[in-house]
Each structure stands twice: as structure tokens, then as C-alpha cells.
């Protein structure tokens, strides 16, 4: 049993190593940084008055959030996420490499490793690009920002008596600035899951059609069609709108965390479907 787990882990980490340390992964992360900066061009050059008085304490976070909600990022996301590993299984099938590789790896470990590779490389490249853009924006604009406002605690006599008696108090905290990192992580989670979802969708379409063009462009077309349909005809299904995942213009239970939970469910279903399609392609090819 232990040897089986070691065999599985070796296959998974081997695929992840090839995917994460590949030039395609780095190019996808760099493209994400560039798109986030291009989506926030309106904030590149603050006014002279703002520079004199100091930028708002969360200017870099506002810039990152603007880039994440921009049309450039929303429409480029499916293309960027597909770049690292959308052709992984298709290339193995066409080259014949899969025949020798399956003899050493095994069918199930191969399928699981390819599904994990697609999700982690697609979502991870977008996530690292997002974090890279956040770091660059903080380095550029952070020194120009004002100090975050401190919390002001007001305590009335009734709350004081409750405090002394050990009861729950009515402390009122006002003027506290929420941390930018606490606000950024839920959005970063949505970015990762959206990238993973589109990466697996791109790989599925590439396998189904046996085309490199569908692997790279199929997820983009699905995203565009979903945006059009949900905004013009199916407005009640706004949860399927990729633009809504980042802009949150409608109600989401839990905000970005609720959206992340929804994308996680879709990603799990997509992973199961991707694994089944890989299995059918391999078994169908082995019968010929």
C-alpha cells in the first residue's frame, strides 16, 4: 500500500515539476502581470495634487482591484490559463509517448497527475502573476501612500459597566482601516480557481476536438458566450458569468469567498469530467 502511494506521488510531482518550472508557466505569470497593469492604466499617473498630499493608503490595492475587474483581464484569463498545460495530454497522444510512459507510470496515476497538472499550472500561473502584480504595485506606489488610519475605540458608560461585570460589551470601533492583505486573499483565491477551471476546460476541448486551436481558443469562446448569454438573456444565472466572478455586481453569499466556493464546485466537476475524457481517449486509442 505504501509503495502504491509513493508511486502515485512520484507521478504527480514529476508532472508538476515539469509544468511549474516550464517556460510556459513563467510566460503565463508574466502575461498576467502585464494584463493587470494594462487594465489599470487610468491609475498609472496620479494627479499632482494627490502626489503632494499623498496617495490614499490603499492606492496599490485599488489599482490591483481595478486591473482584476478590467475587461482586459477578464477576456485574457482563459487564454493565459490554457497556455501552460492545455496540450499536455494531446501532445502525448499524438507523439506516441504515452505508450511507453503508461508502462512505467500506470493509467490511473497518469490521469490523476494530468488533471492536477492542468489545474495547478493554469490556476497557479494566474495566481503568481496576480501576486507579482500586487508586489510591483506596492513597490511602486506604496512609498507614496498615506499612513493607514488607526482604529478609534469609543466606550460608553453602559459598555464600561458590562465590561467590569464580565458581560459582552458594546465596544464601537470606527475609522479602522481593513488590511489590504485580508481583502486581497479572497480575490486571489477566486483568481486561482477561475484559472484552474479555464485551464481544465481548455484541455478538455483540445482533447475532444483533437485540435491545438480549440485547446487555446475554446475556453475563450466559452467564456465570451457565457458573458453574452447571462447578461442579455439569462440574467438570473449571473453566477455563470465570468465577468461577475470578479466584479461582484450581484449578490453573492460571502462575497468573494462565496464565489470561490462556487468555482471550487465547478472545478471539481470539471476535473472529474477531464479525467473521464482522458480515460476514454486512451482506451479508445489502445483498441485501434
Amino acid at each position: 500500500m505504501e509503495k502504491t502511494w509513493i508511486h502515485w506521488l512520484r507521478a504527480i510531482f514529476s508532472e508538476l515539476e515539469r509544468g511549474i518550472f516550464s517556460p510556459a508557466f513563467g510566460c503565463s505569470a508574466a502575461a498576467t502581470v502585464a494584463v493587470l497593469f494594462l487594465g489599470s492604466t487610468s491609475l498609472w499617473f496620479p494627479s499632482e495634487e494627490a502626489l503632494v498630499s499623498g496617495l490614499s493608503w490603499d492606492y496599490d490595492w485599488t489599482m490591483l482591484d481595478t486591473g482584476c475587474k478590467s475587461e482586459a483581464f477578464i477576456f485574457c484569463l482563459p487564454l493565459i490559463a490554457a497556455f501552460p498545460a492545455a496540450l499536455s495530454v494531446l501532445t502525448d497522444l499524438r507523439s506516441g509517448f504515452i505508450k511507453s510512459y503508461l508502462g512505467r507510470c500506470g493509467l490511473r496515476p497518469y490521469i490523476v497527475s494530468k488533471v492536477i497538472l492542468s489545474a495547478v499550472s493554469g490556476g497557479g500561473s494566474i495566481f503568481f502573476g496576480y501576486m507579482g502584480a500586487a508586489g510591483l504595485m506596492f513597490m511602486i506606489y506604496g512609498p507614496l501612500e498615506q499612513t493607514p488610519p488607526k482604529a478609534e475605540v469609543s466606550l460608553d458608560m453602559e459598555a464600561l459597566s458590562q465590561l467590569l461585570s464580565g458581560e459582552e460589551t458594546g465596544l464601537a470601533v470606527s475609522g479602522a482601516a481593513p488590511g489590504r492583505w485580508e481583502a486581497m486573499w479572497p480575490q486571489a483565491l477566486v483568481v486561482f480557481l477561475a484559472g484552474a477551471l479555464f485551464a481544465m476546460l481548455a484541455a478538455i476541448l483540445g482533447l475532444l476536438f483533437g485540435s491545438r486551436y480549440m485547446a487555446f481558443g475554446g475556453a475563450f469562446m466559452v467564456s465570451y458566450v457565457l458573458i453574452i448569454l447571462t447578461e442579455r438573456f439569462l440574467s438570473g444565472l449571473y453566477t455563470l458569468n465570468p465577468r461577475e466572478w470578479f466584479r461582484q455586481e450581484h449578490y453573492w453569499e460571502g462575497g468573494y469567498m462565496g464565489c470561490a466556493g462556487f468555482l471550487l464546485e465547478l472545478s471539481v466537476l470539471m476535473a472529474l469530467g477531464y479525467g473521464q475524457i482522458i480515460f476514454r481517449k486512451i482506451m479508445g486509442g489502445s483498441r485501434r
Side-chain angles (χ1 to χ4, degrees):
M1 186 67 178
E2 184 178 353
K3 292 183 178 180
T4 302
W5 278 107
I6 294 175
H7 181 68
W8 279 61
L9 291 176
R10 186 178 300 168
I12 292 172
F13 282 108
S14 176
E15 288 292 339
L16 288 178
E17 183 180 4
R18 281 187 290 177
I20 293 177
F21 294 102
S22 66
F25 187 92
C27 290
S28 294
T32 303
V33 175
V35 171
L36 287 172
F37 268 93
L38 289 174
S40 57
T41 52
S42 60
L43 300 175
W44 280 9
F45 305 105
S47 64
E48 186 175 351
E49 296 179 358
L51 291 175
V52 171
S53 60
L55 301 177
S56 62
W57 66 270
D58 59 347
Y59 190 87
D60 59 308
W61 158 245
T62 303
M63 187 175 182
L64 179 65
D65 186 54
T66 301
C68 193
K69 295 177 179 178
S70 66
E71 293 292 327
F73 179 74
I74 292 171
F75 281 100
C76 289
L77 176 61
L79 297 172
I80 299 175
F83 192 58
L87 298 177
S88 181
V89 179
L90 185 61
T91 302
D92 289 349
L93 289 171
R94 286 187 171 182
S95 63
F97 172 75
I98 193 172
K99 296 180 180 179
S100 59
Y101 188 65
L102 283 179
R104 293 183 287 109
C105 174
L107 179 59
R108 290 186 178 180
Y110 176 83
I111 293 175
V112 173
S113 63
K114 288 298 184 180
V115 172
I116 294 177
L117 169 66
S118 182
V120 173
S121 62
S125 62
I126 304 296
F127 175 80
F128 278 106
Y130 177 89
M131 298 303 296
L136 287 175
M137 291 174 183
F138 178 75
M139 290 173 59
I140 296 172
Y141 297 97
L144 306 176
E145 297 174 0
Q146 300 175 358
T147 304
K150 298 180 179 179
E152 298 178 0
V153 181
S154 60
L155 181 64
D156 56 20
M157 294 304 297
E158 182 180 357
L160 181 60
S161 62
Q162 293 176 351
L163 178 64
L164 295 176
S165 62
E167 301 177 4
E168 294 185 359
T169 62
L171 289 175
V173 181
S174 60
R180 60 165 57 85
W181 300 109
E182 288 81 358
M184 188 181 71
W185 284 116
Q187 189 180 69
L189 182 58
V190 171
V191 166
F192 172 81
L193 291 172
L197 181 67
F198 281 126
M200 288 186 287
L201 176 61
I204 288 174
L205 293 175
L207 277 179
L208 289 178
F209 291 92
S211 169
R212 295 173 179 266
Y213 301 103
M214 285 302 297
F216 288 119
F220 169 79
M221 291 189 293
V222 171
S223 175
Y224 182 77
V225 170
L226 284 176
I227 291 175
I228 297 299
L229 289 178
T230 52
E231 289 190 353
R232 296 186 180 181
F233 307 105
L234 302 172
S235 57
L237 296 176
Y238 61 86
T239 55
L240 297 177
N241 185 348
R243 183 181 287 161
E244 180 66 23
W245 300 343
F246 303 100
R247 295 189 177 180
Q248 303 274 303
E249 295 176 346
H250 295 80
Y251 175 75
W252 287 84
E253 179 67 30
Y256 277 116
M257 292 305 297
C259 181
F262 173 73
L263 290 178
L264 179 60
E265 294 176 0
L266 289 184
S267 297
V268 171
L269 294 176
M270 192 71 69
L272 294 175
Y274 183 33
Q276 187 65 25
I277 291 173
I278 296 176
F279 176 78
R280 290 182 178 275
K281 286 291 181 179
I282 294 176
M283 298 307 294
S286 63
R287 296 193 188 101
R288 295 177 183 176

